[in-house]
């Protein structure tokens, strides 16, 4: 008998897309599935659409259980993730945003992987990226492509992954995240002080605690790029909001453990990014791009300090300088 898996849908003003997300869960090849929808006080008719969808007899017959979680005020992504975890009745939980989809055999692929790798409690995979619509003509790319020569290389330990993640958040395929509920609870759940950045602190907490991140090289999720998403700003901007939004997270979780010149370089990037944003210069125009690169690269003295320290014999084996 298959193990129960919870699919948790995180919604916030997702009315334009949420029914497509829910149908992708309904159409999974895997059984049994418990459905949790956690809404973070949407201002549109997301909740009404979800209520209508889950009231259908075919939907109630399909799922092991269904729970809709709502709150009276917006609390942010991290708190919404914690509510989803709390509501999940199963050992394994798959998060999906209310504007993305799970590919038809996605849950089956995850469960086949963990069955063959029982030590894997945190699992990632490839994602298929689309522009606006999940149609062949809207397909953009499948990512990542460089496995195993990335963070998920099987030769890397949890500590290796932790150190690499301290340098930067190298997981750009977060929508594929598949988790063991207990593993997340053991590190205290999601950091609710960071309302907009839920994933990066979690990767750091997990790997710091010795939890290795696993991966298999097959797509499981469809990720939608669109103008309404918080960080999906397309090609029109010079840098994404995450460059600024994630800085406080890095101050707390990464900077205390990094070489001083790396931290100083990040401060320079942050302050110039803020200045460009406030001046209305966050535009992907050639002359602005050159000016930005001049400010954060060529006129950044800490980049040169880092380049010098990287060449020192005592730093050759240190992961921060590789």
């Amino acid at each position: 008998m298959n193990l129960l898996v919870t699919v948790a849908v995180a919604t916030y003003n997702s009315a334009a897309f949420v029914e497509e997300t829910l149908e992708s869960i309904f159409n999974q090849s895997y059984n049994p599935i418990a459905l949790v929808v956690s809404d973070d006080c949407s201002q549109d008719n997301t909740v009404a659409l979800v209520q209508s969808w889950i009231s259908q007899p075919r939907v109630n017959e399909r799922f092991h259980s269904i729970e809709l979680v709502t709150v009276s005020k917006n609390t942010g992504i991290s708190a919404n993730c914690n509510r989803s975890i709390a509501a999940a009745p199963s050992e394994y939980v798959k998060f999906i945003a209310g504007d993305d989809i799970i590919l038809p055999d996605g849950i089956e692929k995850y469960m086949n992987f963990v069955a063959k790798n029982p030590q894997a409690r945190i699992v990632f995979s490839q994602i298929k990226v689309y522009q606006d619509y999940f149609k062949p003509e809207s397909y953009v790319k499948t990512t990542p492509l460089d496995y195993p020569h990335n963070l998920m290389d099987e030769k890397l330990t949890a500590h290796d992954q932790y150190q690499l993640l301290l340098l930067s958040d190298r997981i750009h395929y977060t929508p594929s995240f598949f988790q063991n509920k207990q593993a997340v609870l053991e590190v205290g759940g999601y950091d609710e002080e960071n309302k907009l950045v839920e994933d990066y602190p979690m990767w750091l907490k997990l790997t710091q605690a010795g939890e290795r991140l696993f991966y298999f090289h097959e797509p499981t999720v469809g990720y939608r790029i669109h103008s309404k998403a918080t960080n999906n700003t397309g090609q029109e901007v010079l840098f994404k909001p995450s460059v600024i939004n994630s800085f406080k997270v890095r101050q707390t979780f990464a900077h205390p453990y990094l070489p001083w010149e790396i931290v100083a370089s990040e401060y320079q990037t942050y302050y110039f990014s803020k200045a460009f944003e406030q001046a209305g210069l966050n535009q992907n125009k050639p002359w602005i791009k050159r000016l930005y690169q001049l400010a954060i690269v060529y006129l950044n003295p800490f980049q040169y300090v880092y380049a010098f320290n990287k060449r020192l014999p005592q730093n050759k084996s240190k992961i921060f300088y590789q």
Side-chain angles (χ1 to χ4, degrees):
M1 180 180 292
N2 289 339
L3 293 175
L4 177 66
V5 176
T6 299
V7 177
V9 185
T11 60
Y12 177 67
N13 292 345
S14 307
F17 310 112
V18 68
E19 289 177 293
E20 189 173 11
T21 301
L22 293 169
E23 287 292 338
S24 78
I25 303 166
F26 181 92
N27 291 321
Q28 287 300 298
S29 60
Y30 186 88
N31 272 308
I33 293 176
L35 176 65
V36 172
V37 181
S38 184
D39 184 78
D40 198 18
C41 196
S42 290
Q43 301 304 300
D44 61 8
N45 63 330
T46 296
V47 172
L49 287 172
V50 172
Q51 288 173 328
S52 176
W53 190 86
I54 63 177
S55 68
Q56 299 175 76
R58 70 180 181 99
V59 171
N60 282 271
E61 292 172 4
R62 166 66 177 94
F63 294 105
H64 173 274
S65 60
I66 300 173
E67 183 167 356
L68 172 60
V69 180
T70 60
V71 288
S72 58
K73 66 177 182 178
N74 182 261
T75 59
I77 301 172
S78 299
N80 205 17
C81 287
N82 282 334
R83 290 193 294 272
S84 297
I85 284 287
S90 63
E91 179 182 4
Y92 289 101
V93 182
K94 175 71 192 90
F95 280 165
I96 191 74
D99 52 0
D100 296 333
I101 62 170
I102 305 178
L103 301 181
D105 57 353
I107 300 300
E108 185 176 0
K109 285 180 177 178
Y110 287 119
M111 294 308 290
N112 286 340
F113 181 82
V114 297
K116 296 174 183 176
N117 302 272
Q119 74 278 28
R121 300 203 296 175
I122 304 297
V123 182
F124 295 84
S125 72
Q126 287 183 306
I127 63 172
K128 298 181 78 170
V129 181
Y130 292 82
Q131 180 67 55
D132 296 318
Y133 305 101
F134 293 114
K135 297 180 179 180
E137 60 269 25
S138 301
Y139 170 79
V140 177
K141 63 180 178 179
T142 298
T143 187
L145 293 178
D146 53 355
Y147 179 77
H149 304 295
N150 60 14
L151 181 71
M152 300 301 176
D153 192 314
E154 293 180 0
K155 296 190 295 292
L156 296 177
T157 66
H159 183 66
D160 293 333
Q161 291 178 325
Y162 172 65
Q163 289 189 300
L164 287 169
L165 284 165
L166 285 174
L167 287 169
S168 64
D169 182 2
R170 298 167 181 233
I171 302 177
H172 56 275
Y173 36 94
T174 292
S176 71
F177 180 47
F178 185 76
Q179 61 199 320
N180 179 287
K181 178 176 179 176
Q182 189 59 34
V184 171
L185 293 178
E186 285 172 5
V187 296
Y190 290 84
D191 180 19
E192 297 188 13
E193 289 187 11
N194 298 295
K195 293 186 176 183
L196 297 176
V197 184
E198 86 289 359
D199 48 3
Y200 184 49
M202 178 56 68
W203 314 151
L204 288 172
K205 290 202 295 184
L206 286 165
T207 51
Q208 186 180 32
E211 192 74 51
R212 189 182 180 280
L213 311 181
F214 285 77
Y215 171 90
F216 61 89
H217 202 53
E218 296 181 69
T220 60
V221 169
Y223 176 69
R224 189 195 311 260
I225 300 173
H226 63 93
S227 59
K228 295 181 181 180
T230 304
N231 202 39
N232 288 347
T233 47
Q235 302 300 315
E236 296 181 358
V237 297
L238 188 61
F239 52 85
K240 290 186 175 183
S242 59
V243 171
I244 294 172
N245 294 339
S246 64
F247 185 75
K248 184 178 178 181
V249 175
R250 290 192 56 74
Q251 279 183 306
T252 302
F253 290 94
H255 287 175
Y257 310 100
L258 288 170
W260 71 269
E261 70 272 20
I262 294 177
V263 175
S265 181
E266 288 191 19
Y267 268 88
Q268 176 146 337
T269 298
Y270 171 74
Y271 285 123
F272 272 106
S273 298
K274 287 279 287 186
F276 271 64
E277 182 183 61
Q278 291 169 359
L281 295 176
N282 188 12
Q283 305 173 46
N284 196 15
K285 295 181 179 179
W287 73 270
I288 299 178
K289 189 173 182 178
R290 287 193 293 270
L291 184 63
Y292 185 69
Q293 288 177 330
L294 181 68
I296 70 171
V297 179
Y298 300 108
L299 296 181
N300 183 346
F302 310 109
Q303 295 269 23
Y304 300 105
V305 175
Y306 175 79
F308 175 80
N309 287 339
K310 187 175 181 178
R311 289 171 170 78
L312 295 176
Q314 63 266 34
N315 290 332
K316 290 291 185 181
S317 61
K318 296 179 180 178
I319 205 163
F320 293 142
Y321 292 100
Q322 293 178 2

